Amino acid sequence: MKVGVAGLGLIGGSLAKAYAKSGAVVYGYDGNRVVQDFAKLQGVLEGELNEDTVKECQLVLVALYPQVSIEFLKRIAPHVPKEALVMDCCGVKREICEAGFALAEEYGFTFVGGHPMAGTQYSGYANSKEDMFVGAPMVVVPRERDDILLLDRVKKLLTPAGFSHVTVTTAEHHDEMIAYTSQMCHVISNAYVKSPRAQMHKGYSAGSYLDLTRVAWLNEHMWTDLFLENRDFLLRELDEVIGHLQEYKEALEQGNGDRLCTLLAEGRICKEKVDAE
């Protein structure tokens, strides 16, 4: 199999390494030529992903920032073979899928939106790993959700990455859920460490502090793009959590132990229900 990977950061670099380990021929592209050359020197890449080599690929994975991904797709689309599958790996899906489906229809290849659900708080090719996605879920956004043959093809092409299962959804539902399960976590963590007490935490912090602050260490440029593209759903989640925080604040201000205990019990019950699923 010949695979093209555009974007050799944490996600794209990990995908490139996984496919190279499986024996696939991998062509890669990155805006930083030094990264691209280093990946080739490591033996991960056979060569550059460009208008010529993409013609050999059965699978093209685009792991660039959302707007850069759209620009790349527009540039490469006329050269993608009709039998190829093109999949983006962006953290938001509505805009990239709209562009990808339109280009696929115009040029005759197949486009599917994708979101590998794994990563770390660190970014860049240096932190990428060939086993990053082993056992992780993969979210897939096809044009038609009931195209069984396409979904089977997608699963087979993704096999070298090691995903445990594939979740099929729409771009709209993906973005709605990701606003809560990912983007809100980054916003809260990032805001939490702005307390002056964060600089004095050593000796006073344990697992709960580490869990809550891990993703505060983020790539601000990438997350700014993701937040702005999904701001409608993210704003809704922010309003939700601010409303709940206000309830705790009011209970504390009033010294209302019964109300505070009720709020805490509600949260515990919600967590119990989630963990029981």
Side-chain angles (χ1 to χ4, degrees), residues 6 32 35 39 46 77 86 120 123 162 197 200 202 224-225 245 248 255 268:
N32 185 340
V35 171
E46 177 71 18
V86 178
T120 72
S123 60
R197 260 66 62 190
M200 301 178 280
K202 290 184 179 179
T224 294
D225 286 356
L245 288 172
Y248 292 92
R268 173 183 55 77

Side-chain angles (χ1 to χ4, degrees), residues 201-273:
H201 80 90
K202 290 184 179 179
Y204 299 90
S205 59
S208 55
Y209 175 85
L210 294 175
D211 289 344
L212 185 54
T213 60
R214 181 180 68 83
V215 294
W217 196 328
L218 46 69
N219 179 334
E220 62 270 19
H221 302 290
M222 180 186 76
W223 284 100
T224 294
D225 286 356
L226 295 173
F227 289 167
L228 288 175
E229 283 207 22
N230 208 33
R231 60 185 176 273
D232 52 349
F233 286 130
L234 184 53
L235 282 168
R236 187 179 72 181
E237 294 300 333
L238 275 169
D239 286 340
E240 181 85 17
V241 78
I242 289 170
H244 289 306
L245 288 172
Q246 186 62 35
E247 291 178 329
Y248 292 92
K249 183 173 183 286
E250 289 174 358
L252 286 166
E253 287 173 339
Q254 297 163 6
N256 190 336
D258 290 340
R259 176 59 175 154
L260 184 59
C261 188
T262 297
L263 291 170
L264 292 170
E266 289 172 352
R268 173 183 55 77
I269 292 168
C270 285
K271 179 59 173 170
E272 288 176 353
K273 289 180 179 178

Side-chain angles (χ1 to χ4, degrees), residues 49-58 78-81 83-84:
L49 176 64
N50 54 37
E51 288 83 353
D52 293 323
T53 55
V54 75
K55 296 174 184 176
E56 305 174 26
C57 296
Q58 290 84 51
H79 310 281
V80 175
E83 63 273 15

